[in-house]
């Protein structure tokens, strides 16, 4: 297959509101796009860091649901507006910001005073409306993280006017992937659309996601190939008296498990680590088994050993039945499995 390459087919942004990018990865073998697309989408939406306000302290305002003279919005609405402020800047720990203004007028994110390297991205984000010549002072705590942090109840010993803020540390607003097959039916291309909140470009978000995916997989690959558990083998020829994945040092009498047919099987743990992917069954059957919460060869065995495959709700094709039964016969020669 030709060398696989990423291409950026479209990129645009609008001030601090959003950044959009459309990317194509090709050529891939059939099925690879789904694997890569799902992994990247998961990382993009849940594992990329951003910077948000996590705490706000209002001076001279005691209650969250109170209305204050000269301020149009109640405190809880101002807190929600602070939640939408987007920052740039790679920081560690808690950084402080402050809003100190005098009305009348609109208070926006550009009124937040910050120390480097923090900067406001969406400076036009509305925070409050002052209708009278009143002074407003709000002290802010700003942190960098990933995921979602729900606001907690204010500690009893904390002073009035201090409120936690729901923080959504997710710079990627949406990540959508699509798959387009080639005419030969064997290859395909992956389309990935990324929209961010403007705190980082869509292209940079993709780079970060790819780096995180690479960093996750690197520990499993050493200089001489994949890094495996010591003495672990999946080859029955190397371990003729055991089961797939069983180390010769494992005591089989510690892992007895009763099966529906009455046969006692040792090494349930090993069979739990042999997944459906290794059976090389069809994609449609794979999805059906997953829906039935059947994930490993052990699950297949517990649900089907000694039973007629044709009586299950799952639609087993003949080729799939043969593959599964031949696999089970190899390790359980005493059992009877029905193909037709």
């Amino acid at each position: 297959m030709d060398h696989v390459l990423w291409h950026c087919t479209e990129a645009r942004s609008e001030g601090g509101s959003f950044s959009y990018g459309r990317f194509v990865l090709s050529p891939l073998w059939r099925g690879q796009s789904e694997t890569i697309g799902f992994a990247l989408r998961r990382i993009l939406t849940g594992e990329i860091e951003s910077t948000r306000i996590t705490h706000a302290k209002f001076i001279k305002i005691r209650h969250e649901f109170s209305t204050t003279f000269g301020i149009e919005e109640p405190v809880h609405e101002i807190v929600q507006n602070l939640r939408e402020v987007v920052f740039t800047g790679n920081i560690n720990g808690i950084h402080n910001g402050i809003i100190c203004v005098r009305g009348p007028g609109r208070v926006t994110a550009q009124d937040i005073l910050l120390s480097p390297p923090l900067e406001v991205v969406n400076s036009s984000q509305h925070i409050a409306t002052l209708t009278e010549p009143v002074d407003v002072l709000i002290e802010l705590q700003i942190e960098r993280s990933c995921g979602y942090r729900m606001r907690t109840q204010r500690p009893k010993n904390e002073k009035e006017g201090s409120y936690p803020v729901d923080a959504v540390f997710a710079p990627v607003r949406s990540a959508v992937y699509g798959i387009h097959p080639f005419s030969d039916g064997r290859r395909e291309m992956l389309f990935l659309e990324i929209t961010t909140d403007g705190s980082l470009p869509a292209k940079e978000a993709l780079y970060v996601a790819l780096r995180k995916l690479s960093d996750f997989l690197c520990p499993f690959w050493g200089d001489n190939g994949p890094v495996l558990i010591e003495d672990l083998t999946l080859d029955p020829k190397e371990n003729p008296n055991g089961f797939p994945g069983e180390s010769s040092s494992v005591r089989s009498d510690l892992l007895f498990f009763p099966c529906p047919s009455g046969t006692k099987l040792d090494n349930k743990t090993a069979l739990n680590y042999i997944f459906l992917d290794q059976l090389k069954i069809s994609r449609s059957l794979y999805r059906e088994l997953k829906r039935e919460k059947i994930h490993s060869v052990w699950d297949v065995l517990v649900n089907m050993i000694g039973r007629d495959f044709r009586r299950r709700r799952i639609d087993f094709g003949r080729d799939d039945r043969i593959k599964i039964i031949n696999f089970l016969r190899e390790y359980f020669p005493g059992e009877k499995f029905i193909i037709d």
Side-chain angles (χ1 to χ4, degrees):
M1 187 169 65
D2 299 333
H3 188 59
V4 180
L5 294 173
W6 280 103
H7 300 279
C8 180
T9 60
E10 184 180 355
R12 64 177 187 270
S13 61
E14 184 176 320
S17 301
F18 76 93
S19 174
Y20 170 83
R22 180 178 170 88
F23 308 92
V24 179
L25 178 64
S26 68
L28 297 168
W29 293 120
R30 185 177 179 182
Q32 291 179 337
S33 297
E34 182 73 29
T35 302
I36 298 172
F38 180 84
L40 286 178
R41 183 183 181 278
R42 175 64 182 83
I43 295 173
L44 285 165
T45 57
E47 298 187 24
I48 297 183
E49 293 185 339
S50 65
T51 306
R52 291 291 189 272
I53 296 171
T54 58
H55 201 275
K57 182 179 180 181
F58 294 78
I59 308 301
K60 298 181 181 180
I61 300 178
R62 294 185 175 183
H63 195 278
E64 181 177 2
F65 297 98
S66 64
T67 56
T68 305
F69 174 76
I71 303 178
E72 185 174 301
E73 297 87 354
V75 175
H76 73 89
E77 188 173 328
I78 297 175
V79 171
Q80 289 302 310
N81 292 336
L82 290 171
R83 180 174 177 254
E84 302 299 324
V85 180
V86 179
F87 301 89
T88 59
N90 191 358
I91 61 174
N92 294 317
I94 298 175
H95 278 234
N96 297 318
I98 190 170
I99 299 175
C100 184
V101 294
R102 180 175 177 81
R106 292 178 68 248
V107 181
T108 62
Q110 70 178 355
D111 295 312
I112 301 176
L113 303 178
L114 300 166
S115 59
L118 287 175
E119 293 181 6
V120 175
V121 175
N122 54 342
S123 57
S124 61
Q125 169 63 36
H126 177 73
I127 295 176
T129 303
L130 307 184
T131 58
E132 300 291 340
V134 295
D135 295 321
V136 173
L137 179 61
I138 307 174
E139 297 176 356
L140 306 173
Q141 289 185 357
I142 304 167
E143 300 179 53
R144 185 174 180 83
S145 185
C146 62
Y148 176 74
R149 183 186 301 177
M150 182 179 295
R151 61 185 301 185
T152 57
Q153 293 294 327
R154 187 160 51 94
K156 293 182 179 180
N157 58 353
E158 192 172 45
K159 295 181 179 180
E160 292 181 338
S162 185
Y163 308 101
V165 180
D166 284 341
V168 182
F169 300 101
V172 177
R173 292 178 177 175
S174 69
V176 181
Y177 68 91
I179 301 170
H180 178 74
F182 283 81
S183 57
D184 59 14
R186 299 172 56 233
R187 297 178 301 165
E188 59 191 17
M189 62 177 66
L190 170 67
F191 290 92
L192 182 63
E193 295 181 272
I194 302 172
T195 304
T196 74
D197 59 12
S199 60
L200 77 168
K203 184 179 292 186
E204 184 178 341
L206 177 59
Y207 289 160
V208 173
L210 290 171
R211 186 169 64 248
K212 283 182 173 291
L213 183 59
S214 175
D215 291 343
F216 175 76
L217 295 175
C218 278
F220 300 104
W221 194 268
D223 296 334
N224 299 320
V227 178
L228 302 177
I229 299 173
E230 186 178 2
D231 296 330
L232 181 66
T233 174
L234 296 180
D235 188 351
K237 295 179 182 179
E238 296 179 14
N239 190 17
N241 297 321
F243 292 90
E246 180 184 4
S247 168
S248 57
S249 62
V250 175
R251 286 183 55 193
S252 61
D253 55 26
L254 298 179
L255 296 170
F256 280 175
F257 190 84
C259 185
S261 66
T263 303
K264 285 191 175 181
L265 305 176
D266 61 350
N267 220 342
K268 167 193 172 185
T269 304
L271 290 174
N272 263 320
Y273 284 95
I274 304 176
F275 300 104
L276 296 179
D277 313 65
Q278 295 172 249
L279 295 178
K280 299 181 180 180
I281 55 180
S282 65
R283 196 170 178 180
S284 59
L285 176 59
Y286 177 87
R287 288 196 294 265
E288 284 192 76
L289 291 172
K290 285 290 187 179
R291 280 196 293 268
E292 291 290 323
K293 301 189 184 302
I294 297 174
H295 306 292
S296 67
V297 173
W298 176 260
D299 297 332
V300 174
L301 185 63
V302 169
N303 282 272
M304 302 175 187
I305 191 169
R307 301 180 185 181
D308 190 338
F309 277 58
R310 297 168 298 177
R311 296 179 183 177
R312 282 190 60 82
R313 291 181 300 168
I314 300 174
D315 182 20
F316 286 90
R318 178 178 172 79
D319 290 342
D320 291 321
R321 292 202 306 271
I322 291 175
K323 288 177 182 177
I324 296 174
I325 290 174
N326 285 342
F327 184 93
L328 295 175
R329 280 176 175 172
E330 184 174 358
Y331 299 105
F332 306 97
E335 290 292 340
K336 294 182 180 180
F337 302 96
I338 302 173
I339 297 180
D340 298 318

